[in-house]
Each structure stands twice: as C-alpha cells, then as structure tokens.
Amino acid sequence: YLELDRYTEGYYPPVSARNFAYISLSAFEAVQPILQNGESLNNSFSGLDLPVYNSKDKYEMSELLNSAYATSFRQYFQTAPQKYFSKINELEEKIHNSNEHLNPKSTSLNSRKYGLLVSNAVYLWSGTDTYGHEAYNNLYDENLTLPGRRDSWAANSSDIKKPILPNWGKVRPFLLKTNDVEVKPPLPYSEEPSSKMYKEALALYTMSMPLSEDNKWIAEFWSDDHRGLTFSPPARWISIANQIVEHEDISINKILELYLSLGFALCDASIITWKAKYEYARERPQQYINRVISKDWKPFHENPTFPSYPSGHSVFGA
C-alpha cells in the first residue's frame, strides 16, 4: 500500500485516506466467516451488500486476506505504474503458492473466491459515493467560486485555477455526520503588529532567517508532500501502524480492527478538514508574509494548491 500511495499519480492525502478505509473494510469483512465471534459491518452502512458465505464451505485466513488485498489494490490504484501491478500479482501468487500445500484445493478456491467477491462488493458500494469514488481522475473544479476577501486564498494565490479537491467535504463519511463537527475559525485576520496573526507570521519568518539544519530536517520528515518521493501524510500514520504490528504481539483480529479504525478515522478526518478549508479559504502563510512583512520571502517547500486552514497534517496526526 505504501509504495502504491507513494508512486501513483493523483493520490493526494484525502484520496489516500479514503482508499485505505475501503481497502481495510474489504480485508476486515473477508475474514468474518472464520473469525470466532466475528461481527460483520454489513448492516452498518446503507447500500453495502456483501456476499453471503456458505457455512458448509471451509475457508483459510491467509488466502482470504491475500485475495481481498490483491483485488482491492488493483481496484483502488488503477492509475498506478504498470510495474506495481506486476508486484501485486507476484506477491499474490507467492502467498498463494506458500499456502497451497497446507490446504485442500477446495478450501483455497473457496477462500480466493470469497475474498474477491467481498472486495468487489465493497468497491461497488464505493462507487455510489459520487464525490469520493475514483477522485484521482477528478481532482480539480475550475468553476469553483471562493470568497474574495483580502485574506482569502482565492484572492492571493496563483494556484486558484487548479484547487485540489474543493468538493471533498461532500464525500460520504463512515462514522461522522459531516455537519455535526464544528471546526473553529482561524485566527482573526489582522495586519497589526500587535495581533496574534502578525506575531505568528513574524515568528515563522524569523525562524527561517536562516532556517537551521535541524529545522530543515524536521520539515522534511513531517512534510510528506513530495509526490513520487514520500508517502502522503495519512500514509505516514499507516506506516507507523505497520511498525506497531511488526513489533508487538497482536492478534489478527486486532490488527484488522486497527487498520479499519485507522482508515475510517483518516477518511472522515479528511472530509471534515477539506470542507473547512474551502469554507474558510484562509490564505497560505507565504501570501500574508509577502504582503505584510517581506515581499521576497519564500517557504522551504512549495505551497500545496488548497487553502491553509485547518492543517491536514495536524488533523491526520490527531
């Protein structure tokens, strides 16, 4: 997943968070037939129609997960470089071959088929979410109208022609009701040197003159905004979860719950955050600093093409 997130075009943070949620749901549901006290979420989401498994058939955990993950990766990363499709296929076949001698052919076949059916059902349900499904093909809205205030991102950004995912606030959430979450407004706008906004901008400007090597390193580590080089910000937390799974003694049930909870949380967080970003449409620090403090100042990294507040990095981390 992390390699696909890193190298696939169009997988900006919200897209990545949402995809991980649906992939994790597919894996979670694929193994419910064989989990003791397993509890499907099929009735928790309107429109989700998972296949019924045959209780007379036998299933195997590894084959169920192998099929569900491989199928989901192909579905949610359709624009990935071809070599990653080859890697998905090779890994799927490797895992299957390593288990083949441990299970009757019928068990293996039943498991692979059921994992495939579950992933297909979840993907079909994803397709009923107009604004979120395959959003990597529809990142921009060139007809977007934003406030033209003095402090507005729309009024002060050269990137306004291609705002990324301005309608993401309309994506279907998993657990939250979007309008029930109140995002506090940003700092009151002010250009007065005594104001909190001016002081914060001045602190950033002062810290960068010059920017220490330590602070460059911190910025590089936590940015995760270099497409084709780093993970996206949500995937950073998936990477941390992977490390916990690797080093702790956790049951497969808890591992699947961890990824499912993390996916739901990251996805819903992205929806709330992007909705607020375009409602408040607060400009980037560079725009304010260039207008009020120094017209030649530039940030260490290029500005992303969406409003600044609230911070996606901070919300994903929380």
Side-chain angles (χ1 to χ4, degrees):
Y1 182 88
L2 295 177
E3 287 192 47
L4 289 164
D5 172 273
R6 186 177 176 186
Y7 294 114
T8 306
E9 286 294 326
Y11 283 75
Y12 287 90
V15 176
S16 176
R18 182 184 182 277
N19 277 4
F20 185 72
Y22 279 90
I23 291 170
S24 297
L25 178 60
S26 295
F28 179 87
E29 290 293 344
V31 301
Q32 292 308 305
I34 63 171
L35 284 184
Q36 187 175 8
N37 301 320
E39 188 173 346
S40 171
L41 297 176
N42 191 37
N43 296 325
S44 300
F45 301 113
S46 176
L48 177 60
D49 186 18
L50 295 172
V52 177
Y53 65 91
N54 188 342
S55 58
K56 295 180 181 179
D57 289 335
K58 291 185 177 180
Y59 301 91
E60 196 274 325
M61 175 78 72
S62 181
E63 289 281 31
L64 285 167
L65 289 174
N66 190 32
S67 176
Y69 275 123
T71 303
S72 295
F73 288 156
R74 295 187 193 101
Q75 291 169 329
Y76 292 95
F77 288 92
Q78 294 183 25
T79 57
Q82 184 57 44
K83 72 174 184 178
Y84 289 101
F85 278 95
S86 298
K87 292 183 78 169
I88 293 168
N89 296 339
E90 289 167 7
L91 182 57
E92 181 184 26
E93 198 61 26
K94 179 181 177 181
I95 293 171
H96 170 65
N97 290 339
S98 68
N99 292 318
E100 195 170 23
H101 68 286
L102 301 174
N103 305 299
K105 284 190 176 180
S106 60
T107 300
S108 178
L109 182 62
N110 291 338
S111 302
R112 298 183 85 175
K113 181 180 179 182
Y114 190 73
L116 172 69
L117 290 175
V118 169
S119 294
N120 286 343
V122 172
Y123 188 71
L124 285 173
W125 182 57
S126 167
T128 62
D129 174 26
T130 306
Y131 289 98
H133 188 64
E134 297 184 354
Y136 51 81
N137 285 325
N138 189 27
L139 294 170
Y140 313 109
D141 182 355
E142 296 182 4
N143 297 317
L144 181 71
T145 301
L146 289 173
R149 305 182 309 267
R150 181 168 174 77
D151 65 324
S152 170
W153 179 75
N156 300 303
S157 174
S158 59
D159 300 317
I160 186 57
K161 291 182 180 180
K162 285 201 169 184
I164 292 175
L165 300 171
N167 297 308
W168 196 257
K170 300 175 183 177
V171 167
R172 178 179 62 207
F174 285 93
L175 302 176
L176 299 177
K177 291 183 179 179
T178 307
N179 292 328
D180 287 352
V181 180
E182 180 184 359
V183 178
K184 294 180 180 179
L187 290 174
Y189 181 79
S190 176
E191 296 180 6
E192 291 295 324
S194 60
S195 68
K196 190 170 183 180
M197 185 168 185
Y198 184 96
K199 288 178 180 178
E200 287 199 358
L202 183 63
L204 174 61
Y205 174 76
T206 304
M207 178 190 290
S208 69
M209 303 300 287
L211 193 64
S212 70
E213 291 302 314
D214 277 352
N215 280 331
K216 287 180 182 179
W217 187 89
I218 291 169
E220 291 285 6
F221 182 83
W222 287 109
S223 172
D224 289 332
D225 272 344
H226 290 276
R227 300 303 307 160
L229 178 65
T230 66
F231 308 140
S232 66
R236 168 62 60 200
W237 301 101
I238 297 165
S239 173
I240 291 172
N242 287 347
Q243 293 170 58
I244 294 170
V245 167
E246 185 176 352
H247 294 293
E248 301 288 338
D249 184 18
I250 308 176
S251 70
I252 187 65
N253 305 44
K254 290 299 181 184
I255 291 171
L256 292 172
E257 285 181 16
L258 168 63
Y259 287 135
L260 185 68
S261 301
L262 183 59
F264 284 176
L266 291 170
C267 179
D268 285 9
S270 76
I271 297 167
I272 301 297
T273 303
W274 255 252
K275 180 175 183 288
K277 277 183 180 291
Y278 283 97
E279 286 179 350
Y280 288 124
R282 176 54 64 89
E283 65 183 344
R284 290 274 162 187
Q286 180 183 5
Q287 297 155 1
Y288 180 88
I289 291 172
N290 287 164
R291 186 171 61 255
V292 179
I293 298 174
S294 170
K295 62 181 179 63
D296 298 320
W297 184 85
K298 292 182 180 180
F300 185 51
H301 292 145
E302 290 186 5
N303 291 308
T305 56
F306 44 80
S308 65
Y309 179 85
S311 161
H313 283 67
S314 299
V315 179
F316 290 131

